[in-house]
């Protein structure tokens, strides 16, 4: 079963590196296992949930080791405890320089000495877990609460204090995250719930069990294995369709074109959600790149091969549409860039942990796309991995970026799989383009801003001169202030839509090689100056 982070297919297509044994993601909003934290037996009350203790210690240890900035666990722990205990107003936390004390109705419940080092995640996690365990034993209200909800309250409060991109995913959300990144047992469809609560199939993956069984776009799902899905939440449908590879599933659909109900039998196979869709636009190849999962680069190469075979020697170039692409896996951002860029730097990362400081280079020699002209489409919803690719291709003179300023998420997250099967998504490092600038908060500025030039016929040399000056200013700043960021983003305000005019401008550039060369040069000259 395939469900995107956002609807991306309507009708046909109207517009969707391992470290510490954890995966690195660059997604806005975001596999691998992390070693389980040990938690020694301290004689805590039997009411305490041991998995909750392990989760807290594991999360705090990971924050201390990996977060981009050194955390102050005194502040994190006090806020985390208050969120955890919010379901029982009789509980109160009192803090001093040397101890944290929990009181209930004015009586001491548990006191623990605070660790001497405010950055020692393991020690502070252990202390916080003990406070939580003692509170559980003393509070009937907390005892009646769902343990996963209590964990979510505590860890979410912690991550909110770190930065805007660190977060906690509970076990259900984490399972969906892992499916989106790495795939799993499913039938290969994209579904969407309509305003009138129908569950409709919006895409069928080629070669998938659903395609082989005859499932069609537009079919309405009525039942799965005999159980009605009418008026059920989309998450219930997803859960019922996913399962073990090879396991059978029957899906009953209403096919409006025939006015008939059909029950289709199939067996689940390993499905990796579709992130690449190719369509021909005259003599150009329009490739929608909607995310970065474990199959993205391979599918991109296949799409390029298909375009070359279909269009042949008349192929004018590639339009890579990454509008509203929220990101994904870091290693896929690198390998996608290598499809277009030969030898040289693609991007760099800088962080607190020594292993977070790396320069990612392409060593492929001749790229898959050879010397084909490339236009990249971006908007205000394009983030992270999409920004890595756009910045690299712009800096290296391999593409003209068209659209509006991107989201501005120039950080990498590491994903820690926790003891409860949830995930801790931690900001790990900062990203830098080949020319040395970082787009965090700032975004990637397009060569041609369609917020200012919406008509392909109005493009000309004057537009390129304006673009050149703006890009030089954009890339010259290394540590811009909040005001400078705000002022710069007004140059080409981020847009959330995906107008057809963007594609038309891209097509014009690919057909006019002189104009295309001027647009590319507007980006590469400023990159050289910034060095």
């Amino acid at each position: 079963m395939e469900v995107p982070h956002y609807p991306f297919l309507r009708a046909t297509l109207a517009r969707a590196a391992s470290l510490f044994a954890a995966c690195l993601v660059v997604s806005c909003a975001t596999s691998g296992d992390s070693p389980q934290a040990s938690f020694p037996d301290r004689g805590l009350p039997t009411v305490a949930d041991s998995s909750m203790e392990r989760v807290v210690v594991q999360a705090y240890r990971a924050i201390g080791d990996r977060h981009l900035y050194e955390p102050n666990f005194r502040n994190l722990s006090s806020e985390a405890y208050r969120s955890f205990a919010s379901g029982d107003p009789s509980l109160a936390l009192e803090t001093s320089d040397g101890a944290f004390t929990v009181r209930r109705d004015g009586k001491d419940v548990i006191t623990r000495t605070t660790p001497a080092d405010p950055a020692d995640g393991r020690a502070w996690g252990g202390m916080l877990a003990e406070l939580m365990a003692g509170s559980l034993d003393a509070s009937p209200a907390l005892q009646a609460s769902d343990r996963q909800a209590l964990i979510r309250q505590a860890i979410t409060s912690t991550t909110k204090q770190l930065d805007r991109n660190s977060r906690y995913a509970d076990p259900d959300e984490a399972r969906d995250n892992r499916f989106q990144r790495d795939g799993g047992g499913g039938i290969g469809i994209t579904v969407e719930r309509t305003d009138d609560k129908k569950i409709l199939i919006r895409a069928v993956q080629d070669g998938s069990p659903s395609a082989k069984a005859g499932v069609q776009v537009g079919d309405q799902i009525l039942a799965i294995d005999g159980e009605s899905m009418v008026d059920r939440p989309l998450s219930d449908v997803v859960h019922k369709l996913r399962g073990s590879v090879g396991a059978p599933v029957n899906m009953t659909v209403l096919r409006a074109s025939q006015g008939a109900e059909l029950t289709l039998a199939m067996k689940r196979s390993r499905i990796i959600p579709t992130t690449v869709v190719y369509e021909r636009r005259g003599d150009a190849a329009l490739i929608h790149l909607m995310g970065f999962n474990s199959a993205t680069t391979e599918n991109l190469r296949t799409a390029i091969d298909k375009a070359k075979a279909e269009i042949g020697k008349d192929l004018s170039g590639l339009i890579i549409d990454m509008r509203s692409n929220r990101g994904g896996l870091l290693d896929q951002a690198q390998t996608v860039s290598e499809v277009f860029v030969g030898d040289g730097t693609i991007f760099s990362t800088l962080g607190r942990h020594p292993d977070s400081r790396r320069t990612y280079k392409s060593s492929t020699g001749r790229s898959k796309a050879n010397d084909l002209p490339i236009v990249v489409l971006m908007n205000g919803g394009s983030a992270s991995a999409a920004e890595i690719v756009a910045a690299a291709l712009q800096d290296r003179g391999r593409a003209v970026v068209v659209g509006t300023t991107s989201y501005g998420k120039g950080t990498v997250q590491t994903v820690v799989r926790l003891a409860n099967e949830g995930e801790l998504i931690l900001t790990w490092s900062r990203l830098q383009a080949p020319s040395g600038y970082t787009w965090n908060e700032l975004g990637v500025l397009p060569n041609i801003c369609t917020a200012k030039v919406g008509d392909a016929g109005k493009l000309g040399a004057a537009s390129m001169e304006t673009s050149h000056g703006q890009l030089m200013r954009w890339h010259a700043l290394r540590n811009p202030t909040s005001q400078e960021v705000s002022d710069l983003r007004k140059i080409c305000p981020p847009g959330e839509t995906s107008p057809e005019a963007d594609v038309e401008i891209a097509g014009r550039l690919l057909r006019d090689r002189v104009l295309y060369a001027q647009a590319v040069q507007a980006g590469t000259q400023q990159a050289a100056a910034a060095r």
Side-chain angles (χ1 to χ4, degrees):
M1 175 64 189
E2 174 189 345
V3 177
H5 294 300
Y6 49 88
F8 61 85
L9 288 171
R10 291 181 182 274
T12 30
L13 229 177
R15 170 34 174 163
S18 290
L19 294 173
F20 296 98
C23 87
L24 295 178
V25 296
V26 274
S27 58
C28 193
T30 98
S31 66
D33 297 335
S34 175
Q36 299 297 305
S38 61
F39 193 91
D41 182 6
R42 295 184 175 87
L44 295 176
T46 56
V47 170
D49 190 313
S50 61
S51 69
M52 185 166 65
E53 300 164 15
R54 290 197 298 272
V55 169
V56 170
V57 174
Q58 187 182 4
Y60 270 54
R61 183 183 67 176
I63 292 168
D65 288 345
R66 308 183 198 179
H67 192 258
L68 179 60
Y69 305 112
E70 185 172 272
N72 184 325
F73 284 108
R74 171 177 288 277
N75 297 336
L76 296 180
S77 300
S78 61
E79 291 304 313
Y81 176 82
R82 292 186 174 99
S83 294
F84 159 81
S86 60
D88 186 348
S90 67
L91 289 170
L93 177 66
E94 295 187 5
T95 64
S96 66
D97 289 343
F100 276 18
T101 298
V102 174
R103 290 191 170 91
R104 186 169 186 269
D105 292 329
K107 297 179 181 179
D108 287 3
V109 172
I110 182 173
T111 298
R112 286 294 180 265
T113 301
T114 56
D117 184 357
D120 187 343
R122 184 189 296 271
W124 282 93
M127 186 205 73
L128 176 60
E130 291 187 0
L131 295 179
M132 293 165 65
S135 300
L136 271 168
D137 189 55
S139 170
L142 294 186
Q143 291 172 25
S145 299
D146 178 74
R147 294 295 190 269
Q148 295 304 326
L150 294 176
I151 291 172
R152 181 172 62 249
Q153 290 166 197
I155 304 301
T156 297
S157 176
T158 299
T159 56
K160 281 184 176 180
Q161 299 175 74
L162 296 173
D163 65 273
R164 69 170 182 164
N165 294 313
S166 292
R167 64 187 183 87
Y168 168 72
D170 64 22
D172 286 340
E173 182 187 353
R175 277 190 286 272
D176 186 63
N177 290 345
R178 290 190 283 270
F179 188 94
Q180 296 296 330
R181 292 193 301 261
D182 304 320
I187 64 170
I189 60 174
T190 299
V191 298
E192 184 178 60
R193 185 172 182 171
T194 63
D195 292 339
D196 55 357
K197 298 184 179 181
K198 294 178 181 178
I199 305 295
L200 297 184
I201 295 170
R202 292 305 188 191
V204 179
Q205 198 172 101
D206 291 343
S208 65
S210 58
K212 295 174 182 177
V215 177
Q216 295 183 8
V217 171
D219 286 349
Q220 178 187 349
I221 298 177
L222 300 178
I224 300 171
D225 288 334
E227 182 179 346
S228 175
M229 293 290 111
V230 176
D231 294 329
R232 295 283 289 274
L234 190 63
S235 58
D236 288 358
V237 178
V238 172
H239 178 75
K240 289 287 291 183
L241 287 175
R242 290 179 185 170
S244 301
V245 173
V249 61
N250 293 317
M251 184 170 68
T252 302
V253 301
L254 174 63
R255 185 160 296 165
S257 61
Q258 299 177 8
E261 292 186 13
L262 305 172
T263 297
L264 305 172
M266 58 202 91
K267 289 186 177 181
R268 298 177 178 91
S269 65
R270 183 168 184 265
I271 298 296
I272 300 178
T274 299
T275 59
V276 180
V277 175
Y278 156 72
E279 61 174 308
R280 180 173 181 172
R281 287 296 185 95
D283 59 359
L286 176 58
I287 298 175
H288 301 267
L289 193 56
M290 297 166 288
F292 291 79
N293 65 17
S294 58
T296 296
T297 303
E298 179 183 349
N299 290 337
L300 174 62
R301 293 177 184 275
T302 300
I304 293 172
D305 286 340
K306 185 175 181 180
K308 288 179 176 179
E310 182 178 352
I311 303 175
K313 62 182 178 58
D314 295 327
L315 178 60
S316 63
L318 308 176
I319 304 171
I320 309 298
D321 187 355
M322 295 194 292
R323 292 174 296 183
S324 298
N325 181 324
R326 308 300 283 179
L329 297 174
L330 183 73
D331 63 344
Q332 291 292 307
Q334 177 183 5
T335 53
V336 164
S337 298
E338 288 177 341
V339 171
F340 306 113
V341 176
D343 293 341
T345 299
I346 298 173
F347 64 96
S348 302
T349 58
L350 296 172
R352 181 166 59 94
H353 195 286
D355 288 344
S356 70
R357 303 165 202 156
R358 294 187 58 189
T359 296
Y360 293 79
K361 295 185 176 182
S362 173
S363 57
T364 57
R366 192 167 176 78
S367 66
K368 177 74 176 178
N370 299 324
D371 296 322
L372 282 172
I374 302 167
V375 177
V376 170
L377 305 184
M378 301 283 279
N379 67 6
S382 306
S384 298
E387 292 174 298
I388 289 175
V389 174
L393 269 57
Q394 184 185 63
D395 265 12
R396 297 292 304 277
R398 276 300 287 125
V400 177
V401 179
V402 170
T404 68
T405 298
S406 62
Y407 180 83
K409 183 183 172 295
T411 58
V412 179
Q413 282 64 47
T414 180
V415 179
V416 182
R417 191 164 176 172
L418 300 173
N420 66 339
E421 294 300 304
E423 290 180 346
L424 181 65
I425 299 98
L426 283 178
T427 296
W428 157 262
S429 60
R430 221 178 244 277
L431 289 157
Q432 283 187 335
S435 59
Y437 83 100
T438 178
W439 60 86
N440 195 44
E441 307 291 344
L442 186 61
V444 176
L445 179 69
N447 300 65
I448 297 173
C449 178
T450 52
K452 302 289 180 67
V453 181
D455 184 351
K458 294 181 179 179
L459 282 179
S463 302
M464 304 310 140
E465 286 299 320
T466 301
S467 172
H468 170 60
Q470 291 171 343
L471 284 164
M472 285 190 66
R473 179 185 172 197
W474 195 276
H475 289 217
L477 292 177
R478 289 297 180 266
N479 295 293
T481 65
S482 297
Q483 186 59 52
E484 286 173 327
V485 167
S486 177
D487 291 343
L488 285 170
R489 284 175 69 82
K490 292 176 184 176
I491 292 175
C492 182
E496 295 299 327
T497 61
S498 300
E500 182 63 22
D502 291 0
V503 180
E504 293 173 359
I505 288 173
R508 163 86 192 280
L509 288 167
L510 294 180
R511 290 189 298 271
D512 188 333
R513 294 302 176 88
V514 173
L515 193 62
Y516 175 85
Q518 290 174 335
V520 167
Q521 192 68 9
T524 53
Q525 282 181 345
Q526 56 78 31
R531 289 188 183 94

